[in-house]
Amino acid sequence: MADEDAGRTQPRERGPRERDEETDFSLSLPPMSLPEMRLPERIRLVFPVPDPPEKVSRPTRVEVSWVLLAVVLADTLDALAVVWAGPATLPWVRAAVGLLLSLVLVGGAGLVYAWELLAILGGFGALSLAPTLTALVLARIVLSR
């Protein structure tokens, strides 16, 4: 075994200079020390805030007569659906669409429209023939003047 070990060359450690010569890249910096930094008592950060977007066009004003026409048409279609197919036909869809329209056109008071769904679920489906959306919009118009 001693003969086998004698034939091998022992790996020797290379110094930093030998390693640099092998890779052809060297970098050496002088010793550095950073200056002492003290933060002020109050630090204010300023974030850039974008300017508000410019209005491209004037808001469109809708005449009350067109709103009333659309609401009467929606109530008429709802009543026709109740007469033709019965009050139990798509009550959730009819209530969701009516409730959404009433919330958009009337505001928070439009939640009153939910009574039609409650009437259908309570077994009084014929009450959903009432023009609730038209009544709510008319009330909003009268009270806003």
Side-chain angles (χ1 to χ4, degrees), residues 76-132:
T76 304
L77 290 175
D78 185 41
L80 286 174
V82 170
V83 169
W84 183 57
T89 304
L90 301 172
W92 294 102
V93 174
R94 289 183 17 242
V97 170
L99 191 61
L100 181 67
L101 282 173
S102 65
L103 285 173
V104 168
L105 296 174
V106 180
L111 290 173
V112 173
Y113 192 89
W115 82 270
E116 284 196 13
L117 178 63
L118 295 175
I120 292 169
L121 295 176
F124 300 103
L127 291 178
S128 64
L129 286 170
T132 307

Side-chain angles (χ1 to χ4, degrees), residues 45-53:
L45 299 176
V46 179
F47 294 103
V49 178
D51 293 332

Side-chain angles (χ1 to χ4, degrees), residues 3 12 15 18 20 33-34 52 58 62 88 98 125 127 137 145:
D3 294 332
R12 63 181 182 100
E18 291 174 357
D20 290 342
S33 63
L34 295 175
R58 290 181 156 175
V62 179
L127 291 178
V137 170
R145 289 186 181 182

Side-chain angles (χ1 to χ4, degrees), residues 4-36:
E4 290 176 10
D5 288 338
R8 287 190 202 160
T9 57
Q10 294 290 330
R12 63 181 182 100
E13 282 193 38
R14 293 178 279 176
R17 181 163 259 163
E18 291 174 357
R19 274 187 245 137
D20 290 342
E21 290 173 0
E22 287 178 8
T23 61
D24 293 331
F25 177 76
S26 66
L27 177 68
S28 63
L29 296 174
M32 300 174 122
S33 63
L34 295 175
E36 184 179 332

